[in-house]
């Protein structure tokens, strides 16, 4: 399967630290994660990590000066790095995307271990190397894929690509079918086609409507009397029924006619469907067809081609969302029948998992709360990052596994069903979290040659790999204070390949673990951020690797432990290489609230002790994101701006505060029902560290950040008004009740059930605390964090008679700015704020 990738370039490296391998024993049977793990701080590396930076290239004819204008210009000047690397279906070539200079178009490039950057794939050959979905099974004689909605195949050992479909229908959901061909979905139907003979057939169709009836019962008294009095009407009804009976008999007895047509309630719609490998069964998941937004969910767009104002449709707010349940049906294709599979036997099916939260809110209102045992709303879990779907058939075509979640975000179930006999789910694994189940680390699937599931779970406190036989106990394969992600199981079921931050939270390498023994080997030792794709023949890795001061490049190596990775691409520009970039150190800032340190990027100017320094604290966005790592940051403009700041004598601190990714479950969930509290506590520890260790003047520190980072800027300035002397909040959240459902309800539950969590987590409730200069930069066509967040806060500040705040608006910008002129204006204002008030 093609994997999305981010990539990075290698430079000379020196790691100055003693790595501590974090390994802790865990109970394989524990599947509930309820409270913080106050383990020993010895489990966490505390030494400062540095990378040796590459000297500016002497071969560059003209050195580029690091200016604000250069930093905020079109990022093409960095060199347009490789993106989304993957292998061609025959494993012979590495394919990646590369942006065209000065254009939004991305070209596909093809290379191999000897061809460097390679060459652009001609448009006439794209279908041979690119795919939206692809399948590969060692027991099959061919591989197959979908490109632009059409199905293609290639016989192993040959170079010939066979096009199986060519039409306007968009094929999806590709699978092997009966060892002779493939099946795929188009709309509300499944189809199959043989590789050899090209036999094409529809296997199943379904519709959300009433099943057709040749003869319907009389609907009222008049109709009833019509049948009683008029013989002609009865004759016509008899004839229609006879014709319908004949059609049904033909469908049932003649294999040449597609006979499986399933009907569902017309008030419902599709969620997901999956056909068994032998075509005998299908799982169809549906939900009520209710609107997911209101007519009032709009965003004015003031800059349109026609000079008018457009009302863009946008998502609903979490406060407006209503519970959603999915219904799961097993369809017997041969018998043209369906049966609904109940959730009743799921452990926790009717637990009142929010009992404590609801009781606290009731007490705040002066009321009492009585626990209920009503069925919870349950449906499929769609991982935000995985490419796999939450319905997985075993190759034996009998067993199917589904991943389910509760709408309240407290439970994840992996369940199985024997399609030939079961009328209820068998729960293979339940992961309960008193805070919320992570929307990452939900990979699962079947081993190739046995009825065993593999899965990722955070139940030990970190994402780790487990095996679960259908009739056996859960077995933990990896363990320790590190994160396992992007798992690939070899076709012989012997090895699991994955990426993990075993050495240090900020260093991700590729590892291979033998499933039978648990023996683990590192396949890379590049010391930065490394992602991988394994070739279809499992012989070669393509790596996307980066360092702190170098953007992504591709590397390749055999899938063994002895051969070093070789750099493949060189796309970083001479202009970028001409600049003397200063790499931040990764510092383990001690925490006054947890045993685990707060890993942070620290940028230091030269001659640090010459005078007391000004400092800027950058707050990363997303909340659940890792930025204090040793790879190229998605915040590359901020990295360059921080280099500009230290050239002017500033110290810069960039913290992975609690809520950040890469540090385990407890770090992630520390913000449950109190967003902005643990993070600001960590910022206070960061400021103390700057004063004590980096010669920083406590009275000359500012802060800034975008999105979640803008929210944290608000919370710091409003709730700890003496911590920073000025702050800039970019595209910020001011009231979480106006943000989206999936993200917000995880952390704060739903406003109907837990309004206290929203009120203690939303900056607009604490605006009276502002007494330092505040800059708010707000894009107006932001369909992520709505412009109204700033509008409402500005009105609140006006009514509170606050004086030292400013707002800059950006009429054409979405959440992530696009226009270089907007980036430049935004950062000029931020820099002016710091220069004026620090």
């Amino acid at each position: 399967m093609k994997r999305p990738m981010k990539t990075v370039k290698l430079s000379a490296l020196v790691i100055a630290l003693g790595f501590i391998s974090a390994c802790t024993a865990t109970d394989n049977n524990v599947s509930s994660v309820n409270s913080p793990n106050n383990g020993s701080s010895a489990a966490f590396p505390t030494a400062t990590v540095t990378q040796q930076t590459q000297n500016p290239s002497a071969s560059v004819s003209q050195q580029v000066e690091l200016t604000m204008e250069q930093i905020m210009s079109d990022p093409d000047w960095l060199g347009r790095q490789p993106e989304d690397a993957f292998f061609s279906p025959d494993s012979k070539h590495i394919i990646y995307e590369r942006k065209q200079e000065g254009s939004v178009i991305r070209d596909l490039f093809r290379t191999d271990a000897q061809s460097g950057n390679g060459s652009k794939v001609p448009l006439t050959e794209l279908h041979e190397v690119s795919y939206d979905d692809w399948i590969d099974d060692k027991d099959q004689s061919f591989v197959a894929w979908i490109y632009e909605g059409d199905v293609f195949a290639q016989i192993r050992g040959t170079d010939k690509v066979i096009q199986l479909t060519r039409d306007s229908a968009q094929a999806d959901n590709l699978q092997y079918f009966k060892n002779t061909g493939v099946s795929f979905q188009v709309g509300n139907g499944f189809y199959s086609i043989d590789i050899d003979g090209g036999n094409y057939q529809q296997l199943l169709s379904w519709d959300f409507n009433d099943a057709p009836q040749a003869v319907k019962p009389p609907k009222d008294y008049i109709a009833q009397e019509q049948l009683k009095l008029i013989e002609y009407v009865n004759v016509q009804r008899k004839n229609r029924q006879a014709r319908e009976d004949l059609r049904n008999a033909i469908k049932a007895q003649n294999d040449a006619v597609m006979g499986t047509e399933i009907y569902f309630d017309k008030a419902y719609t599709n969620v997901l469907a999956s056909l068994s490998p032998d075509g005998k069964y299908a799982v169809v998941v549906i939900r009520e067809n209710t609107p997911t937004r209101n007519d009032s969910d709009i965003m004015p767009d003031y800059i349109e081609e026609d000079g008018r104002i457009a009302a863009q449709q946008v998502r609903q707010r979490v406060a407006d969302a209503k519970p959603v349940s999915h219904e799961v049906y097993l369809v017997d294709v041969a018998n043209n029948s369906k049966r609904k599979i109940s959730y009743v036997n799921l452990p926790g099916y009717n637990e009142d998992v929010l009992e404590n939260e609801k009781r606290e809110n009731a007490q705040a209102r002066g009321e009492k709360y009585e626990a209920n045992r009503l069925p919870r709303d349950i449906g499929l879990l769609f991982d935000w990052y995985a490419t796999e779907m939450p319905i997985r058939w075993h190759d034996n075509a009998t067993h199917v596994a589904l991943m389910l979640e509760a709408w309240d975000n407290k439970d994840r179930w992996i369940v199985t069903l024997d399609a030939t006999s079961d009328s209820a789910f068998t729960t293979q694994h339940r992961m309960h979290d008193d805070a919320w189940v992570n929307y990452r680390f939900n990979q699962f699937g079947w081993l190739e040659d046995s009825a065993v599931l593999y899965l990722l779970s955070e139940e030990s406190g970190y994402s780790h790999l487990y095996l679960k036989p259908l009739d056996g106990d859960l077995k933990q394969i990896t363990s320790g204070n590190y994160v396992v992600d992007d798992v690939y199981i070899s076709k012989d079921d012997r090895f699991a390949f994955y990426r993990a931050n075993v050495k240090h939270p900020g260093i991700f390498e590729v590892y291979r673990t033998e499933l039978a023994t648990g023996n683990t080997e590192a396949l890379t030792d590049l010391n930065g951020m490394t992602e991988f794709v394994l070739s279809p023949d499992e012989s070669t890795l393509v790596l996307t690797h980066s360092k702190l001061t170098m953007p992504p490049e591709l590397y390749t190596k055999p899938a063994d432990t002895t051969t070093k990775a070789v750099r493949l691409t060189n796309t970083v520009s001479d202009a970028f290489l001409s600049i003397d970039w200063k790499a931040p150190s990764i510092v383990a800032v001690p925490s006054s609230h947890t045993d685990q340190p707060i890993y942070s990027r620290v940028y230091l100017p030269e001659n640090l002790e010459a005078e007391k320094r000004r400092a800027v604290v950058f707050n990363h966005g997303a909340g659940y994101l890792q930025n204090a790592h040793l790879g190229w940051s998605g915040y590359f403009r901020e990295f360059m701006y921080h280099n500009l700041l230290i050239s002017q004598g500033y110290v810069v601190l960039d913290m992975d505060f609690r809520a950040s990714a890469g540090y385990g479950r407890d770090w992630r969930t520390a913000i449950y029902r109190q967003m902005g509290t643990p993070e600001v506590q960590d910022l206070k520890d960061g400021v103390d560290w700057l004063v004590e260790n980096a010669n920083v003047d406590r009275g000359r520190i500012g802060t800034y950040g975008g999105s979640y980072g803008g929210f944290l800027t608000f919370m710091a300035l409003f709730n700890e008004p003496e911590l920073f002397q000025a702050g800039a909040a970019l595209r910020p959240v001011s009231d979480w009740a106006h943000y989206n459902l999936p993200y917000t309800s995880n952390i704060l539950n739903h406003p109907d059930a837990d309004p206290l969590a929203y009120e203690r987590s939303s900056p607009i409730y604490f605006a009276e605390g502002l007494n330092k200069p505040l800059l708010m930069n707000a894009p107006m066509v932001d369909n992520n964090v709505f412009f109204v967040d700033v509008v409402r806060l500005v009105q609140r500040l006006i009514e509170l008679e606050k004086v030292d705040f400013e707002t800059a608006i950006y009429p054409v910008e979405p959440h992530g700015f696009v226009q270089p002129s907007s980036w430049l204006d935004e950062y000029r204002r931020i820099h002016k704020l710091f220069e004026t008030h620090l």
Side-chain angles (χ1 to χ4, degrees):
M1 183 72 69
K2 175 184 173 182
R3 293 188 184 184
M5 281 285 187
K6 294 179 182 176
T7 34
V8 190
K9 176 180 175 181
L10 177 65
S11 61
L13 168 70
V14 173
I15 301 286
L17 82 165
F19 287 122
I20 300 175
S21 177
C23 297
T24 58
T26 57
D27 183 350
N28 291 345
N29 296 316
V30 173
S31 59
S32 182
V33 187
N34 298 323
S35 59
N37 174 17
N38 295 315
S40 169
S41 59
F44 307 106
T46 57
T48 296
V49 185
T50 61
Q51 277 184 354
Q52 180 178 320
T53 58
Q54 182 169 301
N55 293 326
S57 176
S59 62
V60 177
S61 59
Q62 183 176 358
Q63 300 292 310
V64 173
E65 182 183 359
L66 186 63
T67 64
M68 191 74 81
E69 290 76 11
Q70 184 68 41
I71 292 169
M72 301 302 161
S73 62
D74 189 319
D76 280 0
W77 78 273
L78 300 174
R80 300 171 291 114
Q81 278 64 64
E83 301 173 357
D84 297 337
F86 60 98
F87 282 90
S88 59
D90 60 7
S91 301
K92 293 182 178 179
H93 301 286
I94 296 167
I95 314 297
Y96 65 92
E97 292 182 355
R98 191 180 184 195
K99 182 180 177 295
Q100 291 183 7
E101 187 171 5
S103 171
V104 298
I105 302 300
R106 280 164 167 74
D107 293 318
L108 213 58
F109 279 72
R110 175 170 49 200
T111 186
D112 54 40
Q114 288 78 39
S115 301
N117 291 353
S119 58
K120 189 165 68 173
V121 178
L123 298 181
T124 56
E125 299 176 16
L126 288 178
H127 65 283
E128 298 179 359
V129 296
S130 181
Y131 39 84
D132 305 308
D133 187 11
W134 85 292
I135 53 175
D136 183 11
D137 189 300
K138 66 181 179 66
D139 297 324
Q140 303 292 337
S141 62
F142 63 94
V143 295
W145 63 93
I146 293 175
Y147 173 74
E148 292 292 319
D150 287 312
V151 183
F152 297 82
Q154 186 172 4
I155 305 298
R156 298 187 193 277
T158 73
D159 294 328
K160 184 179 180 181
V161 173
I162 307 167
Q163 184 164 4
L164 298 175
T165 68
R166 186 175 183 271
D167 51 40
S168 59
Q170 293 292 303
D172 193 13
N173 220 341
L174 187 66
Q175 291 193 100
Y176 285 105
F177 180 72
K178 290 186 175 180
N179 297 318
T180 60
V182 296
S183 69
F184 51 89
Q185 183 179 346
V186 175
N188 290 353
F190 279 108
Y191 301 79
S192 71
I193 187 168
D194 288 341
I195 294 296
D196 295 329
N199 181 44
Y200 179 86
Q201 60 177 319
Q202 184 171 7
L203 306 168
L204 167 66
S205 71
W206 65 94
D207 194 12
F208 296 93
N209 214 330
D210 295 330
Q213 289 180 278
V215 176
K216 297 181 180 179
K219 63 181 180 180
D220 53 24
Y221 174 76
I222 291 178
Q224 177 180 311
E225 294 306 299
Q226 182 81 337
L227 294 180
K228 185 187 299 183
L229 297 171
I230 307 298
E231 180 61 22
Y232 170 80
V233 174
N234 287 286
V235 171
Q236 297 305 310
R237 287 166 61 87
K238 179 181 179 181
N239 291 341
R240 289 202 308 273
Q241 186 63 60
R243 286 192 289 267
E244 179 67 15
D245 291 345
L246 177 60
R247 281 194 293 268
N248 290 335
I250 293 172
K251 290 178 182 179
Q253 300 177 40
N254 191 325
D255 291 340
V257 179
M258 201 285 290
T260 307
E261 298 173 303
I262 300 296
Y263 293 88
F264 295 100
D265 191 319
K266 64 175 66 176
Y268 283 69
T269 189
N270 284 323
V271 175
L272 187 66
S274 182
L275 185 72
S276 65
D278 61 6
K280 293 181 179 180
Y281 301 95
V283 173
V284 180
V285 183
I286 64 176
R287 66 168 177 84
E288 285 192 67
N289 192 13
T290 53
T292 57
R293 55 175 300 280
N294 299 319
D295 292 340
S296 61
D297 292 326
I298 59 171
M299 176 180 65
D301 188 347
Y302 290 93
I303 308 297
E304 286 286 307
E305 291 183 14
D306 62 4
R308 270 67 174 180
I309 300 172
Q312 306 286 1
Q313 294 186 353
V314 293
R315 57 157 175 85
Q316 68 178 179
R317 293 160 172 80
V318 62
D320 297 329
K322 303 302 178 186
V324 175
S325 279
H326 298 165
E327 295 185 3
V328 180
Y329 286 86
L330 181 67
V331 175
D332 186 326
V333 177
N335 293 320
N336 197 28
S337 63
K338 68 179 189 293
R339 66 178 186 269
K340 183 178 177 180
I341 309 300
S342 173
Y343 297 133
V344 172
N345 63 334
L346 296 183
Y349 159 75
N350 62 343
E351 280 185 27
D352 189 357
V353 295
L354 286 170
E355 178 180 353
N356 293 334
E357 291 85 343
K358 291 177 180 178
R359 180 168 289 112
E360 180 187 347
N361 279 271
Q363 290 174 349
R365 298 190 300 268
E367 302 170 357
K368 290 186 177 181
Y369 178 76
E370 297 295 333
N372 72 70
R373 291 293 180 262
L374 297 175
R376 298 159 73 186
D377 294 290
I378 296 171
L380 294 177
L381 189 160
F382 291 87
D383 187 280
W384 293 14
Y385 295 87
T387 56
E388 298 92 349
M389 290 294 100
I391 304 175
R392 309 296 300 274
W393 285 94
H394 192 279
D395 283 352
N396 65 21
T398 298
H399 290 100
V400 61
L402 294 83
M403 181 173 283
L404 305 173
E405 67 170 339
W407 194 78
D408 54 45
N409 308 307
K410 301 293 187 280
D411 272 290
R412 183 194 81 179
W413 297 271
I414 297 177
V415 298
T416 56
L417 192 69
D418 184 331
T420 64
S421 59
D422 287 350
S423 58
F425 290 123
T426 298
T427 300
Q428 298 295 337
H429 183 260
R430 178 193 182 191
M431 185 173 69
H432 175 82
D433 196 309
D434 283 351
W436 74 93
V437 171
N438 201 342
Y439 46 79
R440 293 182 65 174
F441 311 130
N442 293 302
Q443 275 188 276
F444 82 112
W446 296 97
L447 296 190
E448 184 77 17
D449 295 321
S450 59
V452 176
L453 290 160
Y454 68 89
L455 59 102
L456 289 180
S457 172
E458 276 192 319
E459 63 197 57
S460 70
Y462 289 80
S463 170
H464 280 295
L465 178 64
Y466 297 78
L467 294 182
K468 175 60 175 70
L470 283 186
D471 299 314
D473 295 331
L474 188 70
K475 177 184 178 182
Q476 186 168 357
I477 302 301
T478 62
S479 64
N481 288 5
Y482 59 88
V483 170
V484 170
D485 199 6
D486 294 337
V487 175
Y488 176 92
I489 305 296
S490 63
K491 296 172 185 176
D492 60 6
D493 293 340
R494 183 181 176 189
F495 293 109
F497 296 79
Y498 55 90
R499 60 191 297 264
N501 54 351
V502 177
K503 296 182 189 175
H504 181 279
I507 298 176
F508 277 81
E509 304 284 4
V510 181
Y511 295 86
R512 182 178 69 184
T513 295
E514 191 171 29
L515 296 180
T517 65
N519 293 334
T520 297
E521 302 168 304
L523 299 183
T524 64
D525 188 25
L526 294 172
N527 293 309
M529 290 295 280
T530 304
E531 296 179 330
F532 78 100
V533 170
L534 187 63
S535 61
D537 64 8
E538 299 184 348
S539 66
T540 308
L541 295 170
V542 60
L543 308 170
T544 301
H545 176 72
S546 69
K547 296 270 190 270
L548 282 165
T549 62
M550 294 298 285
E553 296 287 8
L554 299 184
Y555 292 70
T556 185
K557 72 177 297 292
D560 59 35
T561 61
T562 58
T563 311
K564 291 185 177 180
V566 176
R567 180 165 163 179
L568 185 61
T569 60
N570 287 275
T571 61
V572 178
S573 69
D574 287 344
F576 181 87
L577 295 174
S578 75
I579 297 175
D580 185 14
W581 298 106
K582 305 301 182 184
S585 298
I586 307 301
V587 176
V589 174
S591 169
S592 60
H593 294 84
T594 72
D595 292 330
Q596 189 168 345
I598 312 157
Y599 293 97
S600 307
R601 289 186 172 196
V602 178
Y603 299 75
L604 297 175
E606 296 180 356
N607 302 317
L608 181 64
E609 301 300 326
E611 59 180 328
K612 284 287 185 180
R613 297 292 181 171
R614 299 176 290 178
V616 168
V617 177
F618 170 66
N619 308 313
H620 69 67
Y624 192 57
L625 177 147
Q626 185 177 16
N627 204 41
H629 54 71
L630 275 80
W632 184 248
S633 174
Y635 292 101
F636 60 89
R637 292 182 182 87
E638 288 74 8
F639 159 76
M640 293 187 284
Y641 176 52
H642 297 162
N643 263 259
L644 181 65
L645 283 174
I646 63 174
S647 74
Q648 298 174 359
Y650 286 82
V651 174
V652 180
L653 177 66
D654 174 358
M655 306 189 80
D656 274 351
F657 41 76
R658 276 172 288 171
S660 299
Y663 307 98
R665 177 266 175 193
D666 295 343
W667 201 257
R668 168 177 65 85
T669 61
I671 61 170
Y672 178 58
R673 304 185 69 227
Q674 55 172 358
M675 296 169 79
T677 296
E679 307 96 302
V680 173
Q681 292 171 349
D682 293 345
L683 295 182
K684 290 177 67 177
D685 287 337
V687 167
D688 289 343
W689 187 92
L690 289 173
V691 173
E692 295 167 7
N693 297 276
N695 197 29
V696 167
D697 183 342
R698 189 180 292 273
R700 301 175 71 196
I701 306 175
T703 188
Y704 84 106
S707 193
Y708 198 94
F711 151 74
L712 278 191
T713 298
F714 284 154
M715 293 297 270
L717 292 182
F718 295 171
N719 291 335
E720 295 289 342
E722 301 309 313
L723 187 61
F724 299 110
Q725 303 309 304
L730 327 175
R731 35 202 162 305
V733 175
S734 68
D735 189 342
W736 287 108
H738 290 255
Y739 198 54
N740 68 31
L741 169 69
Y743 180 92
T744 319
S745 65
N746 274 322
I747 307 169
L748 301 181
N749 301 311
H750 192 276
D752 287 348
D754 199 1
L756 285 177
Y758 284 77
E759 292 160 19
R760 68 169 63 112
S761 301
S762 296
I764 197 167
Y765 292 96
F766 306 101
E768 65 272 13
L770 179 67
N771 65 14
K772 294 295 193 300
L774 168 64
L775 169 66
M776 290 173 281
N777 290 350
M780 295 182 69
V781 286
D782 187 341
N783 61 5
N784 183 1
V785 178
F786 296 152
F787 181 59
V788 72
D789 268 74
V790 166
V791 172
R792 294 178 70 242
L793 182 60
V794 166
Q795 181 61 27
R796 177 75 176 140
L797 293 172
I798 291 171
E799 293 175 0
L800 290 169
E801 299 182 359
K802 299 295 180 179
V803 294
D804 207 355
F805 66 92
E806 294 182 353
T807 305
I809 62 172
Y810 297 87
V812 302
E813 293 297 349
H815 193 65
F817 280 19
V818 176
Q819 304 303 318
S821 56
S822 298
W823 280 107
L824 179 60
D825 182 88
E826 178 175 60
Y827 273 77
R828 278 175 170 168
R829 293 176 188 274
I830 296 168
H831 197 64
K832 180 180 178 181
L833 177 78
F834 295 149
E835 287 290 280
T836 301
H837 297 288
L838 303 186

